[in-house]
């Protein structure tokens, strides 16, 4: 699963928060973990941003033991659910509570690596993902799917063992753990986890004097890129990178434009979720465009359908429900055959729950979630996300949320809730200007019927806007 690590090249390394192991050292420490896991089936990993987490996960994978990454800030009820639902045999590296035995990880330990025959269809990870209701569901991700996802991205991004990936992403989800750590190890490259996603930390990975050289690829979420553009003297230090990657949410157009202006590089975006890993990505040799996440990677197919499962035309404008199938998709939800069946079509496609448009050349644009971001107005199917991206391009707009409110004539009317930047005041003239901006950059039928000024937007504990609280 990690052939690049097994070459044990002493010039390659993994670094987390300034602590470093060469590949031979990592392999030796992970081999000791694998030996300690003899007889275990599944372990929970409190996914702190530490070298112990990385060594523990790698050791479990070498041993053929499935991993349940647990967010370090999990609440009592959520933690109890993870442990009851997944039923791990032990905590690995560090404990989230005292209900399970702890298997410690010693990063200084060294043991000979003994290869174990592991089935490619065996579960590598149980990734918990939150839905709109109920407790998180455990996504069963096989070793085969993880490998297919990483190999597909390697092909799309010309990603090789010569690359050094730098990021400061959490280690309990796909972006930070699978892409950001296992990806380089599969290819034989370097990992620099800067521990905190600050502009200073990212710039530190670009230091040409650092041991092993500067990073060539940077992974970040839009929040980090937004903070970097506010520190142009630091962002400019990333100018010598080969690839800047943004994911986990849409990158606002103004941020994309500023990154390009400051670094001379256009960020590439990608799309995926816990159930599918990364399915769509802008290629390294492609033409990045803000808001567009690229084309399907090797081994993946996508399609757009309407509410009756009829095909939606790929014209770059028509909105449909996005469905995915291919080598990277999951094997179902743990202990939830009902949820698995609900998420899967009779002909084997996964219902992502996202709405999107696909251009004639195959490029995808995600415009929101079907449950809250698909607006049906006057016979049109409209994605709230593309309206929000356009509004964020106006210098007065700090943040916004677009919703569809019930309307006797239109079915739903488009309403934009807008938070203004400091120095701007809400007025009828500004509202008219924002509506006109949407009409000029998108289509007339996508213009908000009303703009409402807000001092802030309702968010959950993860920082995501709760649009249902904006509806009447």
């Amino acid at each position: 699963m990690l052939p690049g690590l097994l070459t044990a090249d002493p010039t390659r390394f993994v670094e987390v928060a300034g602590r470093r192991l060469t590949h031979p050292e990592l392999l030796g420490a992970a081999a000791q973990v694998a030996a300690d896991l003899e007889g275990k089936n599944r372990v929970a990993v409190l996914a702190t941003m530490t070298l112990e987490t990385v060594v523990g996960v790698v050791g479990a994978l070498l041993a053929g033991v499935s991993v349940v990454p647990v967010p370090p800030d999990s609440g009592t009820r959520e933690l109890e659910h993870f442990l009851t639902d997944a039923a791990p045999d032990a905590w690995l590296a560090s404990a989230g509570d005292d209900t399970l035995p702890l298997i410690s990880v010693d990063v200084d330990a060294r043991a000979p690596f003994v290869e174990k025959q592991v089935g490619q269809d065996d579960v590598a990870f149980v990734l918990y993902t939150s839905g709109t209701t109920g407790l998180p569901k455990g996504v069963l991700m096989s070793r085969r799917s993880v490998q297919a996802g990483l190999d597909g991205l390697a092909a799309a991004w010309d990603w090789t063992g010569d690359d050094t990936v730098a990021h400061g992403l959490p280690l309990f989800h796909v972006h930070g753990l699978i892409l950001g750590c296992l990806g380089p190890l599969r290819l034989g490259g370097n990992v620099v986890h800067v521990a905190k996603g600050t502009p200073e930390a990212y710039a530190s990975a670009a230091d040409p004097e650092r041991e092993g050289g500067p990073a060539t690829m940077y992974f970040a979420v839009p929040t980090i890129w937004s903070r970097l553009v506010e520190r142009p003297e630091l962002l400019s230090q990333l100018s010598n990178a080969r690839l800047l990657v943004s994911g986990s949410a849409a990158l606002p157009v103004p941020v994309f434009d500023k990154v390009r202006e400051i670094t001379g590089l256009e960020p590439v975006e990608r799309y995926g979720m816990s159930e599918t890993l990364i399915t769509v990505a802008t290629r390294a040799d492609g033409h990045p465009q803000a808001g567009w996440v690229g084309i399907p990677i090797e081994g993946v197919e996508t399609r757009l359908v309407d509410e009756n499962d009829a095909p939606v035309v790929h014209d770059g404008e028509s909105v449909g429900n996005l469905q995915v199938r291919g080598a990277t998709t999951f094997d179902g939800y743990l202990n939830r055959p009902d949820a698995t069946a609900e998420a899967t079509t009779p002909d084997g496609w996964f219902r992502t729950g996202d709405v999107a448009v696909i251009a004639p050349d195959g490029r995808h644009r995600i415009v929101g979630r079907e449950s809250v971001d698909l607006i049906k107005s006057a016979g049109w199917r409209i994605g709230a996300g593309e309206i929000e991206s356009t509004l964020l391009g106006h210098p007065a707009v700090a943040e916004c949320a677009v919703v569809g409110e019930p309307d006797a004539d239109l079915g739903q009317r488009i309403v934009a809730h807008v938070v203004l930047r400091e120095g701007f005041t809400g007025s009828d003239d500004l509202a008219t200007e924002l509506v006109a901006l949407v009409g000029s950059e998108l289509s007339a039928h996508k213009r908000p019927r009303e703009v409402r000024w807000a001092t802030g937007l309702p968010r959950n504990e993860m920082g995501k806007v709760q649009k249902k609280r904006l509806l009447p």
Side-chain angles (χ1 to χ4, degrees):
M1 187 174 184
L2 301 173
L5 173 64
L6 302 185
T7 62
D9 184 342
T11 68
R12 303 301 184 193
F13 61 87
V14 172
E15 179 182 311
V16 182
R19 300 165 66 205
R20 178 180 293 197
L21 291 176
T22 65
H23 280 197
E25 292 169 340
L26 172 60
L27 184 58
Q32 181 61 61
V33 171
D36 293 341
L37 291 177
E38 184 69 32
K40 298 294 189 291
N41 176 62
R42 182 177 294 160
V43 292
V45 175
L46 194 68
T48 56
M49 295 184 189
T50 62
L51 203 52
E52 282 76 8
T53 293
V54 176
V55 172
V57 170
V58 171
L61 294 175
L62 294 180
V65 174
S66 61
V67 175
V68 184
V70 176
D73 61 349
S74 297
T76 303
R77 181 166 176 259
E78 193 172 52
L79 183 60
E80 180 182 9
H81 170 64
F82 293 152
L83 301 184
T84 302
D85 190 52
D89 300 312
W91 284 106
L92 179 61
S94 59
D97 66 7
D98 58 2
T99 62
L100 295 173
L102 171 65
I103 298 174
S104 299
V105 170
D106 181 0
V107 300
D108 295 320
R110 302 291 180 264
F113 169 63
V114 179
E115 188 170 3
K116 181 177 181 179
Q117 293 301 314
V118 181
Q120 294 305 293
D121 292 326
D122 289 356
V123 174
F125 293 99
V126 181
L127 303 168
Y128 277 89
T129 181
S130 297
T132 54
T133 59
L135 290 166
K137 299 187 291 291
V139 173
L140 299 173
M141 190 57 63
S142 72
R143 299 169 71 90
R144 187 185 306 279
S145 294
V146 172
Q147 291 167 182
L150 294 176
D151 291 348
L153 282 177
W157 291 341
D158 295 333
W159 188 3
T160 74
D162 292 330
D163 282 304
T164 295
V165 172
H167 69 92
L169 301 169
L171 297 180
F172 54 83
H173 61 31
V174 170
H175 197 171
L177 178 58
I178 296 180
L179 271 64
C181 292
L182 300 188
L185 295 180
R186 180 164 177 78
L187 296 168
N190 300 327
V191 180
V192 177
H193 192 294
V194 297
K196 293 184 178 180
T198 63
E200 292 83 359
Y202 271 71
S204 71
D207 184 354
E209 300 300 320
R210 75 184 329 273
E211 184 182 357
T216 61
M217 299 171 66
Y218 293 84
F219 293 173
V221 296
T223 300
I224 293 175
W225 291 119
S226 296
R227 291 170 179 167
L228 278 162
V229 300
E230 293 173 355
R231 300 288 303 277
E233 76 283 3
L234 297 177
L235 176 57
S236 64
Q237 296 180 40
L238 277 57
S239 299
N240 292 327
R242 189 178 68 78
L243 206 65
L244 306 180
V245 179
S246 183
S248 299
L251 186 65
V253 174
V255 178
F256 178 96
D257 290 341
K258 290 295 289 184
V259 171
R260 177 175 54 189
E261 175 187 330
I262 294 168
T263 66
L265 301 171
E266 296 176 313
V268 300
E269 296 186 65
R270 85 299 180 283
Y271 164 79
M273 53 201 316
S274 297
E275 292 90 341
T276 66
L277 302 182
I278 304 305
T279 53
V280 177
T282 302
R283 295 182 58 87
D285 58 0
H287 300 286
Q289 183 180 354
W292 293 83
V293 293
I295 61 176
I297 66 170
E298 292 177 5
V300 171
E301 298 176 88
T302 61
R303 71 180 182 185
L304 290 183
V305 299
D306 63 18
E307 57 266 30
N308 299 313
D309 284 338
V312 171
V313 65
H314 295 183
D315 59 4
E317 287 284 341
S318 300
V319 175
N321 302 323
L322 182 64
Q323 298 180 355
V324 171
R325 73 177 178 186
T328 69
T329 53
F330 74 138
D331 290 334
Y333 295 111
L334 178 65
N335 303 325
R336 293 291 306 276
D338 56 333
T340 302
E342 184 179 352
T344 309
T345 68
D347 55 348
W349 292 75
F350 173 68
R351 307 179 197 270
T352 67
D354 287 321
V355 290
V357 300
I358 300 179
D361 62 4
R363 289 176 303 120
H364 291 53
R365 179 184 177 102
I366 310 301
V367 296
R369 294 293 291 171
E370 181 182 356
S371 57
V372 294
D373 293 318
L374 179 59
I375 300 170
K376 300 175 183 178
S377 182
W380 297 97
R381 292 163 58 88
I382 300 163
E386 59 183 340
I387 301 174
E388 291 164 352
S389 293
T390 301
L391 291 172
L392 287 169
H394 193 285
V397 178
E399 54 182 354
C400 63
V402 171
V403 298
E405 292 191 359
D407 186 278
D409 179 43
L410 301 171
Q412 286 183 305
R413 61 200 302 266
I414 301 172
V415 177
H417 295 259
V418 176
V419 178
L420 296 175
R421 295 186 182 279
E422 187 176 350
F424 290 89
T425 303
S427 66
D428 290 343
D429 287 345
L430 180 55
T432 300
E433 188 177 330
L434 294 177
V435 170
L437 175 65
V438 174
S440 64
E441 294 201 6
L442 299 178
S443 300
H445 65 268
K446 297 178 181 179
R447 294 176 298 181
R449 297 284 175 152
E450 183 180 352
V451 175
R452 295 179 187 162
W453 310 116
T455 56
L457 300 176
R459 297 180 183 275
N460 63 14
E461 64 278 3
M462 297 296 289
K464 292 186 177 181
V465 175
Q466 296 181 299
K467 289 191 174 183
K468 290 183 179 179
R469 290 173 56 185
L470 295 173
L471 296 174

